[in-house]
Amino acid sequence: MSPETAFKSQVIIRHQWPTGLLDSDNCFLLYDKELEKVFEDNYDFQDFIESFPFRLGVRAGESIKSFRDFPKNLEIVLARWPQPIKRSQTLVVLGGGSLGDFAGFVASILKRGVGLVHIPSTWLAAMDSAHGGKTALNLGGVKNQVGTFYPAQKIYVIKDLLENSPVLMKEQSYGELIKMGLIGRSQFFKEIMLEKRPPQDFMWRFLKNCIEDKYEVILQDPYETKKIRQALNFGHTFGHALEAHHGWPHGDSVLQGIFFALEWSRYRGDLAAKTFESIDQTIRQCFQRVPAHELNWYRPSSQKVIAKLIEQDKKITADGELLFVFLKTIGRPLLKSVSLTDLLSEGKRQNWLK
Ligand SMILES: NC(=O)c1ccc[n+]([C@@H]2O[C@H](COP(=O)([O-])OP(=O)(O)OC[C@H]3O[C@@H](n4cnc5c(N)ncnc54)[C@H](O)[C@@H]3O)[C@@H](O)[C@H]2O)c1
């Protein structure tokens, strides 16, 4: 199987839980314990969980991605795993991106690779993290330093599960939705621009576009070696630094990083001023978001602190360059090498940094 084929997971988008669709005697279900609370009165959820004789609910979030705690966490999982462990078994993961990153790593190393099925429980995981095979653990306080490429064979995207997740979590993933709408081949941001109304049903409606657009990029450059897959970092270089510095949720930080990247693209002349205006107005009107530096409470961050965070997060070459994703127009990201110094000066020019 070529790497390109291996990276194309089978994505099944459906309204109901996939109870009975998996060979549960041969699977181990690892799920986010938080879902027991959220779906306390949901019989479909209970039926699904109980259909797996071998299962474990764990507390998810960044702590599950700790490399230091990995041996302990792996032992907890294996204590419930059907014995003997066989490569023919499948790890089914029901949870958000944190559990998906941890469990994907486990699946990739257990017996040098057992089966993997993702059932994303957050909008972010459904549109982004479950797809593309990146697994990750955090090392020494730095995110995603350890990991493997290990795509899931199947990914079930379930409407009942996602529509019942907290509204705040949905709103926090607007950043990733806007990212794919702007850089993806389907250019679905144009539809949002035309409609100019609050994004009530936007997430479910454009989820399929987000997923297809992501695979379109990944399949051209599965291992991120051809300067193609990096386009998915649109809004992330600056966004990750804001996330680490201010502790803002990931999707919100990405949206702020998108504001930064759009304004820089306009300033450099890569993005036409008229297109910039339309995109900027749509984000403000439809998604009710503005660049944080326009708000009274925002205090510009120090360039030194942001420089350190960017250095930790992204690969910077010996001559201080990094690959930054600009936007040429909707559907056309533009990857260019920039110096960290230029990025910091732009941050100052835009009032993000002091
Ligand atoms: N592998 C990738 O390609 C990739 C891409 C983007 C992000 N990520 C990673 O994803 C992680 C973030 O994932 P996330 O945003 O999906 O959240 P998460 O997994 O970190 O979960 C956040 C919180 O929401 C809870 N939760 C999960 N599903 C819920 C639901 N349906 N209802 C109520 N609460 C629920 C969790 O228990 C947790 O407390 C980060 O660690 C990030 O690095 C990975």
Side-chain angles (χ1 to χ4, degrees):
M1 197 186 284
S2 71
E4 287 73 14
T5 319
F7 270 75
K8 183 84 192 88
S9 303
Q10 186 189 353
V11 182
I12 303 121
I13 300 181
R14 49 185 281 132
H15 285 245
Q16 292 90 20
W17 291 82
T19 310
L21 297 187
L22 291 156
D23 173 17
S24 50
D25 287 335
N26 219 9
C27 292
F28 179 79
L29 173 70
L30 185 67
Y31 67 95
D32 185 332
K33 231 174 153 22
E34 183 66 22
L35 300 176
E36 288 174 353
K37 280 191 231 152
V38 180
F39 291 96
E40 204 179 358
D41 302 320
N42 183 317
Y43 293 115
D44 293 335
F45 168 77
Q46 307 294 346
D47 282 352
F48 178 72
I49 297 283
E50 284 164 18
S51 69
F52 289 86
F54 304 99
R55 60 180 187 266
L56 175 69
V58 289
R59 188 200 281 251
E62 282 309 298
S63 59
I64 194 87
K65 289 177 61 175
S66 158
F67 181 70
R68 198 190 49 205
D69 296 341
F70 183 71
K72 186 183 76 192
N73 289 333
L74 182 60
E75 278 185 26
I76 293 171
V77 169
L78 295 186
R80 295 283 191 92
W81 192 283
Q83 303 295 324
I85 306 167
K86 293 186 215 142
R87 284 193 80 186
S88 56
Q89 292 162 333
T90 295
L91 175 54
V92 180
V93 196
L94 167 58
S98 59
L99 194 61
D101 280 3
F102 164 80
F105 187 68
V106 170
S108 72
I109 59 167
L110 203 58
K111 291 280 172 181
R112 298 199 182 87
V114 296
L116 177 65
V117 172
H118 279 305
I119 306 177
S121 70
T122 63
W123 289 100
L124 178 128
M127 74 173 86
D128 187 13
S129 66
H131 313 276
K134 280 190 178 176
T135 81
L137 297 180
N138 305 333
L139 176 68
V142 187
K143 273 177 72 92
N144 306 334
Q145 295 300 293
V146 176
T148 48
F149 284 102
Y150 199 69
Q153 280 95 45
K154 283 185 186 176
I155 300 165
Y156 287 96
V157 177
I158 303 164
K159 191 175 187 188
D160 182 42
L161 168 58
L162 297 170
E163 290 291 11
N164 284 299
S165 63
V167 176
L168 185 65
M169 289 181 77
K170 187 177 185 173
E171 290 175 358
Q172 286 169 355
S173 42
Y174 288 164
E176 294 288 355
L177 180 86
I178 294 169
K179 177 193 91 175
M180 280 317 297
L182 287 174
I183 64 162
R185 179 182 273 185
S186 73
Q187 308 175 10
F188 66 84
F189 195 83
K190 285 183 178 168
E191 277 185 60
I192 301 179
M193 276 176 18
L194 283 175
E195 293 191 25
K196 288 235 184 314
R197 62 180 179 80
Q200 298 299 347
D201 66 338
F202 278 12
M203 295 300 278
W204 183 254
R205 208 170 118 202
F206 294 117
L207 193 58
K208 197 162 176 268
N209 291 109
C210 280
I211 295 170
E212 285 173 0
D213 286 350
K214 183 166 181 184
Y215 280 104
E216 200 265 327
V217 175
I218 292 166
L219 297 184
Q220 294 177 61
D221 182 17
Y223 296 105
E224 216 167 69
T225 49
K226 300 180 189 165
K227 296 190 181 171
I228 297 174
R229 187 167 175 162
Q230 286 92 333
L232 298 170
N233 286 337
F234 182 61
H236 282 63
T237 306
F238 200 67
H240 270 168
L242 294 173
E243 181 180 357
H245 184 50
H246 298 286
W248 298 341
H250 177 76
D252 288 342
S253 309
V254 168
L255 211 165
Q256 294 299 325
I258 290 174
F259 275 125
F260 173 78
L262 288 171
E263 168 54 22
W264 199 5
S265 305
R266 183 204 64 79
Y267 183 68
R268 285 166 43 108
D270 292 325
L271 177 66
K274 216 170 143 216
T275 315
F276 168 85
E277 279 302 321
S278 309
I279 297 171
D280 187 68
Q281 283 308 311
T282 302
I283 299 177
R284 288 170 192 257
Q285 283 169 17
C286 288
F287 295 90
Q288 302 283 304
R289 301 296 161 90
V290 296
H293 65 73
E294 289 182 10
L295 300 166
N296 279 340
W297 54 262
Y298 185 81
R299 299 280 166 272
S301 317
S302 112
Q303 291 190 39
K304 223 171 160 183
V305 171
I306 296 297
K308 202 159 177 222
L309 291 168
I310 291 177
E311 271 165 351
Q312 278 176 345
D313 184 45
K314 296 284 163 220
K315 290 178 202 82
I316 298 207
T317 57
D319 46 1
E321 298 267 308
L322 65 131
L323 206 57
F324 192 85
V325 190
F326 296 93
L327 193 71
K328 187 136 186 58
T329 188
I330 296 174
R332 279 191 63 195
L334 184 70
L335 280 87
K336 286 227 171 121
S337 244
V338 298
S339 74
L340 184 54
T341 317
D342 285 351
L343 187 149
L344 296 170
S345 312
E346 178 61 16
K348 189 159 186 282
R349 190 191 71 80
Q350 290 190 28
N351 299 325
W352 288 101
L353 309 178
K354 61 182 176 197

